[in-house]
Amino acid sequence: MTLVLRVSAERAVLSLFSPQSDSQHSCSYLAFGSRRARQQGLALVIVLWIVTLLTVIATSFLYAMRTDVKVVTNGMSRAKAEAAAEAAIHRALFDLYKPATVTDRWLADGVPHDWRYGEANVSVAMVDESGKIDINVASDQLMRGVLAAQGLSDEEAAALVDSIADWRDQDNLKRLHGAEAAEYVAAGRKYKPANAPFQTIEELKLVLGITPDLYQRLAPLITTYSRQPGINSQIASRDVLRSIPGATDVLVDTYMQQREQARVIKAVIPPFQPALPYLAGGNGFVVGVRATATLDDGTVYVRDAVSLRSPNPKRPVVFLRWQEGEIAASEPVSGTNAPAITPNLPNVRVDASGSVIGVAPVRDANRLLAGGM
């Protein structure tokens, strides 16, 4: 037994130093090293993917946070500008309704008043609505004049005057160059004429033939609140005076100088001679106010309002119109062949037949103007 164990031990020792044993051990070591290297490479790839994923998540989070911060910042700037513009509206009306004996009170004459209010530069101007052309009751001659002053030919102006009249009259009889329901259907419009007075000046956008560019030029000159067929030349703007038939640039500029001189010396302002056939008085009861607030960061907010002076001391002012104004005119669509559009007037109501039946929020304004306080 002892001999057998000794022989076995000797064989084992010899096998350790044989060439075949070295080769086997070397292969075993290399195989182990190769597996370990592959495992380390796989771990490195996994780590790189995890780092990349975390980077993408962190970048998305930072972008989302940056966007949220911008939204909040812009919202705060807009709120500040809106508050400043609305404060300017009330400040202007407060000054307008001061006693007439106050010599430096503000007037509804279109003159802008500028000042610094908090973090905003504010500009506000008031205009008596009697200094504008009321598209509900103005004569055809005055309507043709305001359209011709915008560069339209006599034929184009006559056609638009007829279309405007067909929109506001109560019948379905088409004027010579006008447009009733059949013309709107043929033009692809999804609505028909209201056959009722204009509730707001924005409703004019719906009239067939009124392009966006033309409306933008007409908007500062027209109203639905004066309820007078003529204009008050003593407070009318230069563009309104140019709309009067027979008025020329020379006559208008001369009158504007005379009017300003009379204001400076507190004298009676004379009427504009070409406007005598279209003259209307101003009572100061309905005043349009436009306030613009500009923050230092460039944020701009415009508030447009139309106020009615009330005899009720508990409610001295009633707002007939209160909306955000347009900061700047959109890109104009030039020419009379501009594409037909359906204006975005969410408060315009249409009946089952497609006829425009009015603008709900303004019906109270019309009632107030009619004296139904």
Side-chain angles (χ1 to χ4, degrees):
M1 184 66 179
T2 303
L3 180 62
V4 173
L5 292 175
R6 183 180 296 174
V7 173
S8 298
E10 291 176 354
R11 288 178 178 177
V13 171
L14 291 174
S15 67
L16 292 174
F17 294 97
S18 65
Q20 183 179 3
S21 177
D22 289 342
S23 176
Q24 290 177 349
H25 278 283
S26 177
C27 291
S28 177
Y29 178 79
L30 290 175
F32 175 75
S34 177
R35 287 195 301 269
R36 184 175 181 182
R38 287 197 300 269
Q39 291 175 353
Q40 289 178 345
L42 180 61
L44 179 60
V45 171
I46 294 175
V47 170
L48 291 176
W49 273 108
I50 292 175
V51 171
T52 302
L53 180 61
L54 291 177
T55 302
V56 172
I57 294 175
T59 303
S60 301
F61 178 77
L62 291 175
Y63 180 79
M65 291 299 99
R66 182 182 179 186
T67 302
D68 290 343
V69 170
K70 284 187 175 181
V71 169
V72 172
T73 302
N74 292 340
M76 291 177 61
S77 296
R78 176 184 169 83
K80 291 178 181 179
E82 181 178 359
E86 293 179 356
I89 295 284
H90 293 283
R91 164 72 174 83
L93 291 175
F94 173 79
D95 208 286
L96 174 66
Y97 295 136
K98 285 181 179 179
T101 54
V102 178
T103 57
D104 60 346
R105 71 186 183 99
W106 294 353
L107 302 176
D109 53 7
V111 175
H113 301 274
D114 305 326
W115 75 95
R116 180 75 177 180
Y117 180 70
E119 302 177 16
N121 294 316
V122 179
S123 178
V124 62
M126 297 178 290
V127 178
D128 192 319
E129 291 294 295
S130 65
K132 299 180 181 181
I133 298 171
D134 194 317
I135 57 177
N136 280 326
V137 294
S139 64
D140 289 353
Q141 293 82 1
L142 192 55
M143 289 299 298
R144 278 197 294 269
V146 70
L147 292 171
Q150 309 311 313
L152 275 68
S153 66
D154 292 341
E155 294 77 12
E156 292 172 335
L160 275 181
V161 168
D162 284 353
S163 296
I164 292 172
D166 280 337
W167 180 278
R168 72 190 184 198
D169 62 23
Q170 298 182 0
D171 57 57
N172 292 315
L173 301 176
K174 175 180 171 295
R175 287 198 175 194
L176 180 60
H177 303 291
E180 285 288 354
E183 284 68 33
Y184 283 83
V185 172
R189 303 297 177 91
K190 297 181 180 180
Y191 56 87
K192 301 175 184 177
N195 288 337
F198 290 94
Q199 305 267 334
T200 66
I201 62 172
E202 287 82 6
E203 196 176 337
L204 186 65
K205 296 179 183 179
L206 298 170
V207 174
L208 202 61
I210 298 292
T211 64
D213 176 50
L214 178 58
Y215 173 78
Q216 291 295 335
R217 287 180 281 149
L218 287 174
L221 316 179
I222 59 177
T223 183
T224 59
Y225 300 112
S226 78
R227 300 298 178 92
Q228 301 187 70
I231 61 172
N232 181 358
S233 63
Q234 295 176 331
I235 58 176
S237 66
R238 183 180 187 278
D239 289 335
V240 171
L241 294 176
R242 288 182 63 250
S243 303
I244 298 174
T248 64
D249 289 342
V250 174
L251 290 175
V252 171
D253 291 338
T254 302
Y255 175 73
M256 295 285 289
Q257 294 176 0
Q258 295 174 350
R259 191 173 70 177
E260 186 59 30
Q261 291 173 358
R263 284 175 179 167
V264 171
I265 64 176
K266 307 297 181 182
V268 177
I269 299 176
F272 186 45
Q273 292 299 319
L276 291 178
Y278 313 97
L279 205 57
N283 50 29
F285 282 101
V286 183
V287 175
V289 191
R290 181 179 176 87
T292 304
T294 306
L295 299 185
D296 295 334
D297 62 4
T299 302
V300 181
Y301 189 90
V302 179
R303 172 66 72 188
D304 284 335
V306 175
S307 67
L308 171 66
R309 189 171 184 177
S310 167
N312 184 356
K314 294 183 179 180
R315 193 184 182 189
V317 174
V318 177
F319 287 103
L320 307 178
R321 179 187 180 92
W322 184 268
Q323 68 176 32
E324 180 179 354
E326 295 185 3
I327 297 175
S330 57
E331 288 295 325
V333 181
S334 60
T336 56
N337 296 323
I341 63 168
T342 300
N344 182 19
L345 298 176
N347 53 346
V348 171
R349 299 190 301 175
V350 181
D351 62 15
S353 66
S355 297
V356 176
I357 58 176
V359 186
V362 190
R363 293 196 178 277
D364 290 338
N366 289 331
R367 178 178 57 82
L368 291 173
L369 286 170
M373 296 294 293

